[in-house]
Amino acid sequence: MKRRLYAGINILGLTVAIVSFLAIALFIHHEATYDSMYKDADRVVRFVQRFSMGGEEQVVSMTPSALVPTVMEEIEEVELGTLVFTYSSVLVDAGVGNQEEDNFAFVDENFFEIFDLKLLAGGEGKLLAEPNQVVLTSSTAARYFQRPFEAVGQTIKIDGADFLITGIVADFPSNSHLNFDLLASFITTRHGKNPQWSPANYYSYARLSPFADPEVFTQKLDQMVEKYFGEEMRSYGFEVKVMFQPLTSIHLGYSQLKDIKPAMDIKNLYIFGSVAILLIFIGIINYVNLATAEATERNKEVGLRKVLGADRLQLFGQFISESMILSFGGLVFSLVILFLLKGFFEGFSGVPLIFDLLISPLGILMLFLLVLLIGFSSGFYPALILSGMEPLKALGKKISNLSSGAWLRRSLVVFQFFVSISLLLATFIVKNQLDFMQEINLGYEREHVVALKYHYNMGEKLPAFKSELERTGTAQSMSLSNALPIFIRSGYSLSPGGDNDKDLMITGFAVDSDIVQTLNLNLLAGTGFSENDVHHTAAYEGDGELNVILNEATLKELGWTVEESIGRKVNFNGVLSNVKGVVQDFYFSSLHHQVGPLIIFKQPQEASWILAKLPKGNPRETMAQLEQVWKGVYPDRPFTYRFLDEEYANMYQTEQNISRIFQLFSGIAIFIACMGLFGLVSYVALRRSKEISIRKVLGAGSGDVLKVLSADFFVLLSLSAFLSIGFGLWFSQEWLSGFAYKSTVSPLVYLLSIGLVSLIALLTIGYRTAMVFIQNPIKNLKEE
């Protein structure tokens, strides 16, 4: 019975540890192999631009439309280039009414030669060589057509224009930094027909020659920049450099200002990898602890076998084989559990678990090595102890002291609970920062603000939409903007001119007249915009003076006070502009970054969003009314919306996934450690059964028995707690260093983590104590 208990604890601990290890390994493999599925991915690069001004630098992943054709023509290291132009959304009509599509892009005719998605239907060769052609992914074709592969040759409308479907391709893999549903021919666009060196709104890629020298290629890029637009950029106060980054490093590389998908900090993968290894160690530690403890019960078996002629090597092999069998059993169970819990892990981590790695030759070899590693690591020390027993001493005692193994068991228990407390600490520290980010005052209204997609051809009916919102009381205020205030990323410059003599890179927020009221921005001086204020394009063409609003960070860079800034002039992208107002700094980017200089200006022509501030009350009724107003004014456009507070929360999806992963695996670590603790307490209770029985006969209560069984363990737990405090201090500094605005880690976090693990350990020991206490002491003494 005791052997079955120990074997059950061991195999359960190893199974849970292996499941966790494999799940984390598949997650890391998914993230680390981003974009590696494309042909010659190791030779594909993406071009980025680095702008320098006034000692500041800014890196963007978007480039001019003329870059790709120029490098293909003038730089021999480039074999082929392609270009991607993303859209916020388009309306697609395949004969059943308009549907809004967010994942749309224009790409040139070389796109599928570099990003070689499998062609499922359509002609070979250049799929997007002519204007008004489009390629659909298989899942998109299935949404619009009953027979998706027969869609080739049919026409659909995109924003009212006819596009011919020339191909159906496989969906983009989940670990591709590109993810589109519809890809239209770039030559349809103005800059597709006539590439220019401005603006820089395009993602540019190239496949390099196998013999390309990076240093020589860099020099040629520098010469090309200087030849075509270096002087022009300097006239605006910028120094610009075009650089390149390997395709396979985009996801784990520098988080660019403008990127298609959020990057993953490689530091997180190292953290998860460490957690996976630690969980395996905890499972191994359980086996070592229980097997060395169990050795005191197998002394007669060892003694008899040695008397019958078994040598040490044979016994060593037997005990190693037992651990190998348990390890293999744990692996089999873990693979079954991993398959059954696939959906749970995917929902938890936000990343699909793809088993291709596990069933590949390399994966099978890795699993075989994992079994050998776990089996040998967990079985070596117990096998060494058991096979080294002297036969006469082994037969002479029922229980041997095995004092030489006590220090190891204690050390391993300390390590187990150190890992458990440390992971729990990490969980609380991550969650504490997430709570801080959700509760912080952003400096603008994010509650009760809804964002609706806006297209330039909606402008004619916009006054009617706004009037109807006010008439029905559906919205208190409405404004247009080129971005959601949670993440504004358009880059501009302030150059010497007017009352300013500095070069300054600045973020621009293009809006209409009502932005201050809609977002409830805190005006420190001056006023907001009015209907009479001219927009940027008109001012650029000389039809009036542009009024702008600056934030506090801009004034700090310019060396102005709030009061003196009103009425001063700044040279904003070549337009001499009047400072009409100053707003309090608000967080217009991730809390990973400091609030930087911001300029707000009227340019509703650039708007991509309608922001509507809703009245407080029943949101369901308000949204139903908003939908009714929308359909009354824009019956041909689907009603899709986003709440600003939800979009803000989604911006930290990666951090939320990390927090959930820590919660899961810290719980698993505690579970495995407490299983081992249960087994060790059972062993101690067995060894001290005579002592406990005598104490009970003499009147000792359950509390006295609990003290006997728990005293040594809580000394070890105290040492684990002390070590974990050091880890917590290190982790909090390392994790929070990635945030410009961070929470304070309270000492209560440490007390809560240590107290929670201690409580669980106490309950585990208490349960085993109760089992011991209810046994008949007379029976135990007779057996002794």
Side-chain angles (χ1 to χ4, degrees), residues 585-647:
D585 281 343
F586 64 89
Y587 298 97
F588 59 85
S589 185
S590 165
L591 295 186
H592 289 279
H593 310 293
Q594 292 279 354
V595 173
L598 177 72
I599 187 167
I600 306 174
F601 61 99
K602 278 191 68 175
Q603 184 71 350
Q605 298 90 331
E606 293 184 9
S608 301
W609 296 95
I610 297 173
L611 302 176
K613 183 179 179 182
L614 307 180
K616 295 180 180 179
N618 189 331
R620 181 173 298 179
E621 292 181 2
T622 303
M623 291 309 298
Q625 194 171 22
L626 179 60
E627 182 178 7
Q628 185 177 357
V629 172
W630 177 274
K631 289 181 176 179
V633 179
Y634 299 113
D636 58 332
R637 301 191 72 89
F639 178 68
T640 57
Y641 61 90
R642 304 179 186 182
F643 283 107
L644 211 55
D645 54 350
E646 292 178 356
E647 287 299 297

Side-chain angles (χ1 to χ4, degrees), residues 27 272 348-349 657-666:
F27 172 83
F272 291 143
F348 211 81
S349 66
N657 288 342
I658 291 171
S659 177
R660 287 195 293 267
I661 290 171
F662 269 123
Q663 290 175 36
L664 174 64
F665 292 116
S666 63

Side-chain angles (χ1 to χ4, degrees), residues 40 91 104 112 168 244 259 305 313 315 335 359 400 453 459 612 618 671 676 692 711 720 753:
D40 298 320
L91 289 183
F104 173 85
F112 292 109
I168 308 295
F244 59 93
D259 226 331
R305 293 200 60 189
L313 186 60
L315 291 171
L335 290 173
I359 60 177
S400 64
K453 284 290 184 69
N618 189 331
F671 174 73
I692 293 170
S720 300
S753 300

